[in-house]
């Protein structure tokens, strides 16, 4: 992959940014029709590749969907998304497919109207009513792209609902029609795509959790947007980027220097577990082990010590005095050790809310700190923003949506726009915030955001977050004294964790990825 292509695959844009980039290309002399022709030609080729893979059983037989058998329905909207679709219709017609157009609009943009006129001159049938569209093998959705700003109403809304009910493969051009380009919100109703061919640059809405039921498998159609134009538009605004394998691997502590020792490779202190939640401590520790951290110390209630030692013989397990309820009552570190002895601290999984004083103690330390689970619930009780304002060192918070709402009740709704919510939370708290979900989003206080674009619902399972906390803590400890931005390390952990889930699910199904198994797949991702 060329450097430019690598850069392009990282970028995430809003509709306004895309329009500005597009405007620069046109202002530089690229004719609008030429760009549409180029883009739609690429889409038509990709649809040809994809549609040959859709097989449909008819009376028990398997039929390959390729010319001259294939019947393709093209859904055309009034703007340039519809223009793209009409060029695709024409190209597929010439390739020998049976093509039918559904176009429920009268007012079209000029270029779209010209393409319609030509398609009609080729005698490609065109219908205004969805009922008239013959039975098709595949539908191509060019109703709306990034120009959609208003809620879709009838009759288009009913037509979209009906198209979804047909259960045919649908390939959406740019984004599934009906999704808000930035938030991924459904504007009334939306096409449920099998594939989404995103044009030029990734649109932010495609990476928001609420869009995922509609997006299907998403891929980027690169049409050679000049990098200078992307930079010119994006340089002054907070950068929102996709985590890729290349970005994630670039911050891994590999290769190790030949001359080193265990403390140089990071010393992580985990503080986790209670009598009630013993397993969470083991899973967090296994995540930390997976990170390769040089030295691992684990503070647990005394009654869990033997259990932890038997699972992690390499770790230094610190048994602490416990409360009546079996939570850690006091951090009793070994002689000559205090919190400043550690490269990083990860605190929270399985603590219960009875460990408030422990969380206060780590918050008061000058060490980089990951807070998760009960660590976050306790922070919320202490008062997130005023408490974090006292901290000088790095803090990383790793909430799921429920924890996020408890931590940041005044931040805008994380269900509506996760990217905006995580940006606001990081800006207000000064922490790096990782908002868990199907598309985990990570923000730093300056507004930079990483989004993890690939994961698996196999991870929606108790304990998988504990593995992430340990893994992240281990990577953070190894990065101490290295000049890697903290949010990049957090992004690497999120990517690694998700990839382990994907790999495990591919070998064991989505039901086979318990948190222990997940921890065992971490190494396989990078080896
Ligand atoms: N960027 C690039 O580099 C390239 C972009 N390209 C393509 O252009 C697409 C963007 O095109 P676009 O700007 O024409 O907008 P698009 O998404 O087709 O829809 C807007 C139309 O819908 C209408 N409309 C809106 N809401 C509505 C509603 N609720 N119900 C009914 N109507 C509604 C709205 O009408 P109006 O608001 O004026 O009434 C307007 O006419 C982009 O996604 C990509 O496919 C490529 O060709 C080349 C490279
Ligand atoms: N639908 C999903 N798709 C992908 N990843 C998911 C999904 N649901 C949850 N996850 C991931 O699984 C992990 C769950 O963490 P968390 O909610 O803290 O669980 P626990 O506290 O039980 O360990 C997070 O990393 C989250 O991003
Ligand atoms: K579309």
């Amino acid at each position: 992959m060329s450097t430019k292509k690598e850069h392009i695959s990282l970028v995430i844009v809003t509709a306004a940014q895309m329009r500005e980039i597009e405007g620069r290309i046109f202002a530089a002399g690229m004719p609008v029709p030429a760009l549409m022709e180029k883009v739609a030609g690429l889409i038509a080729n990709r649809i040809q590749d994809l549609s040959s893979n859709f097989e449909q059983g008819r009376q028990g037989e398997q039929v390959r969907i390729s010319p001259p058998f294939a019947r393709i329905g093209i859904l055309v909207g009034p703007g340039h998304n519809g223009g793209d679709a009409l060029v695709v219709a024409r190209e597929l017609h010439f390739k020998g497919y049976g093509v039918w157009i559904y176009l429920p609009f009268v007012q079209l943009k000029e270029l779209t109207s010209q393409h319609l006129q030509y398609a009609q001159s080729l005698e490609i049938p065109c219908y205004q009513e969805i009922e008239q569209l013959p039975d098709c093998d595949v539908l191509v959705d060019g109703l709306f792209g990034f120009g959609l700003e208003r809620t879709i109403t009838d009759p288009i809304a009913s037509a979209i609902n009906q198209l979804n009910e047909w259960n045919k493969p649908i390939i959406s051009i740019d984004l599934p029609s009906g999704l808000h380009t930035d938030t991924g919100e459904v504007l009334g109703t939306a096409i449920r795509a099998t594939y989404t061919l995103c044009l030029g640059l990734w649109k932010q809405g495609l990476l928001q959790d609420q869009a995922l039921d509609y997006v299907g498998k998403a891929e980027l159609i690169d049409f050679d947007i000049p990098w200078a134009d992307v930079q010119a538009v994006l340089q002054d605004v907070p950068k929102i980027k996709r985590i890729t394998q290349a970005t994630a691997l670039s911050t891994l502590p590999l290769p190790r220097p030949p001359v080193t020792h265990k403390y140089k490779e990071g010393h992580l202190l985990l503080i986790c577990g209670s009598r009630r939640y013993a397993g969470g401590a083991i899973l967090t520790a296994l995540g930390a082990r997976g990170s390769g951290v040089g030295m691992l110390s684990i503070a647990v209630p005394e009654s869990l010590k033997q259990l932890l030692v038997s699972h992690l013989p390499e770790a230094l397990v610190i048994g602490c005095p416990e409360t009546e309820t079996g939570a850690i009552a006091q951090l009793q570190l070994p002689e000559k050790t205090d919190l400043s002895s550690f490269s990083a601290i990860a605190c929270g999984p399985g603590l219960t809310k009875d460990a408030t004083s422990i969380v206060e103690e780590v918050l008061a330390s000058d060490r980089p700190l990951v807070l998760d689970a009960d660590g976050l619930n306790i922070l919320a009780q202490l008062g997130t923003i005023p408490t974090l304002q006292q901290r000088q060192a790095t803090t990383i918070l790793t909430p799921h949506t429920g924890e996020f709402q408890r931590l940041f009740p005044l931040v805008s709704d994380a269900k509506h726009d996760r990217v905006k919510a995580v940006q606001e939370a990081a800006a207000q708290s000064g922490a790096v915030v990782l908002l868990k979900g199907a598309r985990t989003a990570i923000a730093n206080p300056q507004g930079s955001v990483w989004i993890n674009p690939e994961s698996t619902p196999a991870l929606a399972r108790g304990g998988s977050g504990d593995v992430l906390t340990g893994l992240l803590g281990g990577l953070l400890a190894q990065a101490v004294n290295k000049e890697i931005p903290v949010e990049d390390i957090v992004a690497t952990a999120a990517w690694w964790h998700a990839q382990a889930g994907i790999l495990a699910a591919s070998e064991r199904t989505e039901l086979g990825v318990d948190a222990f198994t997940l921890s065992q797949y971490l190494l396989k991702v990078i080896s």
Side-chain angles (χ1 to χ4, degrees):
M1 202 171 17
S2 76
T3 316
K4 184 226 147 196
K5 280 206 160 51
E6 260 176 40
H7 280 128
I8 289 281
S9 72
L10 293 185
V11 171
I12 297 172
V13 289
T14 59
Q17 289 166 339
M18 190 68 195
R19 209 172 283 293
E20 209 181 326
I21 292 168
E22 179 190 51
R24 290 177 63 93
I25 297 173
F26 297 145
M30 180 68 170
V32 178
L35 189 63
M36 184 179 283
E37 200 63 28
K38 171 168 178 159
V39 172
L42 293 168
I43 301 169
N45 288 343
R46 189 62 191 129
I47 289 176
Q48 191 174 14
D49 294 344
L50 289 174
S51 60
S52 64
N53 291 327
F54 293 127
E55 292 188 349
Q56 291 215 329
R58 284 215 195 96
Q59 292 159 6
E61 302 160 65
Q62 291 287 306
V63 180
R64 272 212 167 266
I65 301 176
S66 45
F69 309 108
R71 300 158 65 86
I72 303 197
I74 311 273
L75 319 174
V76 178
H80 284 177
N81 198 251
D84 288 346
L86 286 166
V87 176
V88 167
R90 186 195 70 208
E91 290 302 296
L92 293 177
H93 165 79
F94 284 130
K95 284 175 197 279
Y97 291 87
V99 174
W100 288 267
I101 292 170
Y102 164 62
L103 199 173
F105 300 92
V106 183
Q107 292 281 334
L108 307 181
K109 280 194 176 173
E110 194 185 340
L111 185 54
T112 308
S113 175
Q114 282 174 357
H115 283 303
L116 173 67
Q117 193 183 332
Y118 187 51
Q120 285 177 323
S121 81
L122 298 171
E123 297 187 347
I124 300 176
C126 182
Y127 306 106
Q128 280 208 317
E129 304 293 331
I130 193 71
E131 292 77 17
Q132 297 170 298
L133 193 67
D135 185 30
C136 292
D137 302 305
V138 181
L139 298 169
V140 175
D141 156 35
L143 288 172
F144 305 107
F146 64 64
L148 181 76
E149 279 154 1
R150 316 191 295 280
T151 297
I152 299 179
T153 50
D154 276 339
I156 311 300
S158 317
I160 288 179
N161 293 340
Q162 206 169 328
L163 288 160
N164 285 338
E165 278 172 21
W166 288 355
N167 275 328
K168 298 286 177 191
I170 307 183
I171 303 173
S172 283
I173 299 176
D174 213 10
L175 62 167
S177 299
L179 292 191
H180 190 282
T181 309
D182 304 346
T183 65
E185 190 182 2
V186 175
L187 296 172
T189 188
I191 290 283
R192 283 186 192 270
T194 317
Y195 275 90
T196 296
L197 304 181
C198 178
L199 306 180
L201 295 169
W202 286 102
K203 311 299 177 310
Q204 187 174 299
L206 297 175
L207 291 135
Q208 300 250 21
D209 281 23
Q210 60 186 341
L212 296 190
D213 280 343
Y214 297 84
V215 171
K217 213 168 162 342
E219 59 182 67
L220 191 69
I221 302 287
D222 179 8
F223 62 85
D224 302 316
I225 295 178
W227 182 241
D229 290 318
V230 179
Q231 273 184 313
V233 172
L234 298 185
Q235 67 184 359
D236 295 330
V237 286
K239 296 215 171 34
I240 302 175
K241 292 182 287 185
R242 291 168 78 247
I243 308 170
T244 64
Q245 182 179 37
T247 63
L249 294 181
S250 71
T251 82
L252 275 191
L254 282 174
R256 280 192 164 181
V259 180
T260 186
H261 57 72
K262 62 189 175 206
Y263 291 113
K264 262 192 161 171
E265 298 306 320
H267 188 176
L268 172 67
L269 174 64
L270 288 183
I271 307 172
C272 47
S274 57
R275 204 183 307 140
R276 188 153 174 224
Y277 301 115
I282 300 171
L283 293 169
T284 312
L286 289 174
R289 172 195 269 176
S291 75
V293 68
M295 187 64 202
L296 177 61
S297 291
I298 313 171
V300 288
E302 180 63 39
S303 57
L304 263 57
K305 183 171 174 178
Q306 280 319 310
L307 180 71
L308 267 290
V309 170
S310 67
H311 278 89
L312 292 111
E314 77 276 21
L316 178 73
V317 183
I318 305 162
C320 299
E322 43 189 278
T323 63
E324 270 178 22
T325 56
I328 302 174
Q330 195 191 328
L331 266 186
Q332 209 168 66
L333 298 176
E335 232 176 277
K336 295 191 190 150
T337 308
D338 58 27
L339 289 179
S340 66
S341 314
F342 301 97
S343 327
I345 302 170
C347 172
L351 281 186
T352 79
K353 281 200 192 154
D354 295 338
T356 303
S357 63
I358 309 303
V359 174
E360 283 176 317
E361 194 176 337
V362 293
L363 279 164
S365 81
D366 67 349
R367 298 290 86 191
L369 173 65
V370 181
L371 276 188
D372 182 35
D374 282 323
L376 299 173
N377 294 328
I378 292 169
L379 174 64
Q381 278 180 347
L382 294 171
T384 309
I385 315 271
T387 307
L388 291 181
Q389 270 165 356
Q390 317 276 323
R391 278 210 104 220
Q392 299 300 318
T394 298
T395 312
I396 302 167
L397 309 177
T398 60
H400 55 56
T401 315
E403 288 158 347
F404 185 90
Q405 279 160 353
R406 285 192 285 280
L407 284 168
F408 301 105
L410 300 179
V411 160
S412 57
D413 183 7
K415 285 193 183 126
H416 173 68
D417 184 346
R418 289 164 47 86
V419 174
K420 191 161 163 240
V422 79
Q423 276 178 322
E424 283 179 22
Q428 288 180 14
S429 65
V432 170
V433 181
L434 176 151
L435 176 56
K436 289 170 180 169
R439 294 291 175 269
T440 289
I442 299 149
N444 75 359
Q446 291 72 40
S448 288
V449 175
W450 283 109
I451 303 180
N452 185 37
E454 285 178 3
S455 190
T456 167
L459 290 177
R461 197 158 167 177
S464 61
D466 301 340
V467 176
L468 176 65
T469 302
L471 178 67
L472 171 56
L475 289 177
L476 191 65
Q478 290 174 84
V480 82
N481 299 330
K482 293 184 191 158
E483 292 195 349
I484 308 173
V486 177
E487 60 277 11
D488 292 8
I489 297 161
V490 182
T492 296
W495 174 87
W496 191 354
H497 181 252
Q499 290 297 319
I502 291 169
L503 186 59
S506 74
E507 291 181 8
R508 300 167 54 93
T509 83
E510 288 171 354
L511 305 183
V513 193
D514 60 276
F516 173 80
T517 300
L518 174 68
S519 71
Q520 304 305 294
Y521 272 81
L522 289 171
L523 186 60
K524 293 189 189 183
V525 171
I526 59 159
S527 54

